Amino acid sequence: MRTDRLVAILLLLQRREQVTAAEVSRELEVSERTARRDLDALAMAGVPVYSTQGRGGGWRLVGGARTDLSGLTASEARALFLVAGQASAATPAVKAALRKLVHALPEPFRVQAEAAASSLVMDPRRWGASRVERRSPRFLDELQDAVIRGVQVRLGYVDREGAETERTVHPLGIVAKGSSWYLVSNTEVGRRTFRIDRVSSADPTGDPVDRPEDFDLAESWREIADEIDRRRTPTEIQAVCAPHGIGLLRVVLDGRLEVGGPTTDGRIEVVIRGHNEYALACELAGLVEWLEVTGPPGVRDHLASIGNALVERYD
């Protein structure tokens, strides 16, 4: 959704000589704080916008509001139109709008901007994995529209046990995580996240969303994802690893690995998260060449048992 807003602000700057954060706030139905943050983000991304202070001040494009986007440098144009490419997570409407803007670019930039839009392909499959077709869930468009319009939704939802419930939610944003889509909402019991493929109905009520002024979707999702990871992998173990084995641990364990400092013998302290002690022991048994588990004792006991079983079978 932030990509949508940034493009909308850019178009707004094209239409007007100058805009203020208050005007952007009203146009996009966000707080002034969010509007200022988005304007700053445009400038930090390299789009040539600048602000003037004092009475009559506001935000302008360098060179004035020109519909041909000639204030952009070649590299800025390429960066902007990467958003329109096949690998982008932007909505189809945003991509279509950006492709139309390509034709408004000065001729020297147009070819490179078009090339940028087709320069990157993302294949989410790992080597050896079968192809998984990513389909948009049934109610994605309705929920995204509710987020944009800022209206509450009467949501039907089926949980992982198959129980169906209905509740009124305040949609705040939508996140794509891998092949799944999630709705982040406020509810009467606090902030909740819903998998959109489990939504059984979505009926806008027309009532306005109660949206916190300081809400930031990316920040909120980081907190949600961290909490989910902690719940999925609640067990922690301590270990020391040979320096040349850290790279392999990063590949095998990904976000479940925390790397600490060196020990007196030159090895590296690490903390590893997993589902339970036995699962971790099974996972780490093949890494004994580089890794020594120091605690808790239960994991060391499981590793010893696995080692004894391997010796009995293959000795």
Side-chain angles (χ1 to χ4, degrees):
M1 291 308 303
R2 195 180 192 202
T3 300
D4 294 28
R5 292 202 312 269
L6 295 181
V7 173
I9 292 171
L10 181 58
L11 295 175
L12 193 60
L13 285 163
Q14 290 293 303
R15 294 199 309 269
R16 303 182 186 180
E17 182 178 349
Q18 176 177 286
V19 298
T20 65
E23 289 170 341
V24 172
S25 171
R26 288 193 298 271
E27 286 276 345
L28 304 186
E29 297 181 349
V30 297
S31 68
E32 285 194 36
R33 178 178 177 180
T34 297
R36 283 191 291 271
R37 186 187 298 135
D38 287 347
L39 285 160
D40 287 334
L42 274 179
M44 292 178 64
V47 176
V49 298
Y50 68 99
S51 63
T52 56
Q53 304 299 318
R55 186 171 183 178
W59 289 79
R60 296 170 178 255
L61 280 170
V62 172
R66 290 175 287 191
T67 56
D68 64 358
L69 295 177
S70 55
L72 295 175
T73 67
S75 60
E76 290 163 351
R78 289 196 301 270
L80 177 63
F81 285 94
L82 274 171
V83 178
Q86 295 179 3
S88 169
T91 63
V94 171
K95 292 183 181 182
L98 286 173
R99 291 191 188 104
K100 291 177 181 177
L101 285 177
V102 168
H103 300 292
L105 284 170
E107 182 62 34
F109 297 165
R110 192 179 307 157
V111 173
Q112 292 187 12
E114 289 175 335
S118 59
S119 65
L120 183 64
V121 170
M122 293 181 66
D123 184 352
R125 294 174 296 164
R126 294 186 178 184
W127 294 111
S130 59
R131 184 177 185 275
V132 178
E133 184 177 356
R134 179 171 177 167
R135 296 181 179 178
S136 297
R138 178 182 172 190
F139 292 101
L140 176 62
D141 289 343
E142 289 90 338
L143 293 171
Q144 187 174 34
D145 181 66
V147 171
I148 294 169
R149 293 194 296 118
V151 296
Q152 298 177 38
V153 171
R154 190 66 183 165
L155 194 74
Y157 192 71
V158 180
D159 66 20
R160 66 180 63 188
E161 281 78 33
E164 186 167 2
T165 57
E166 194 173 81
R167 73 202 80 189
T168 298
V169 301
H170 296 244
L172 300 176
I174 290 172
V175 174
K177 170 74 168 175
S179 60
S180 299
W181 295 84
Y182 296 87
L183 173 69
V184 180
S185 296
N186 273 344
T187 72
E188 61 182 9
V189 293
R191 192 161 300 168
R192 293 292 183 270
T193 304
F194 303 94
R195 272 186 56 154
I196 298 180
D197 59 359
R198 292 181 183 160
V199 172
S200 57
S201 62
D203 301 311
T205 67
D207 297 324
V209 162
D210 180 13
R211 186 184 183 90
E213 278 197 19
D214 60 349
F215 176 76
D216 182 279
L217 180 58
E219 182 180 333
S220 179
W221 178 252
R222 281 194 296 271
E223 295 172 357
I224 292 167
D226 288 346
E227 178 61 24
I228 291 173
D229 280 341
R230 283 192 292 271
R231 290 180 182 177
R232 291 179 65 246
T233 55
T235 303
E236 285 189 352
I237 70 163
Q238 296 77 43
V240 288
C241 182
H244 60 276
I246 292 293
L248 178 61
L249 284 186
R250 291 188 192 278
V251 172
V252 172
L253 301 169
D254 196 18
R256 296 185 290 123
L257 171 71
E258 295 178 21
V259 179
T263 63
T264 55
D265 62 3
R267 292 184 293 178
I268 308 296
E269 293 180 336
V270 295
V271 175
I272 299 168
R273 296 198 319 272
H275 297 288
N276 55 59
E277 292 186 353
Y278 180 71
L280 277 166
C282 292
E283 190 174 19
L284 301 177
L287 303 175
V288 65
E289 181 179 349
W290 305 278
L291 190 73
E292 179 186 352
V293 173
T294 55
V299 178
R300 292 173 60 89
D301 292 342
H302 286 306
L303 283 166
S305 177
I306 292 170
N308 291 333
L310 288 170
V311 169
E312 277 187 32
R313 176 156 296 187
Y314 297 108
D315 188 14

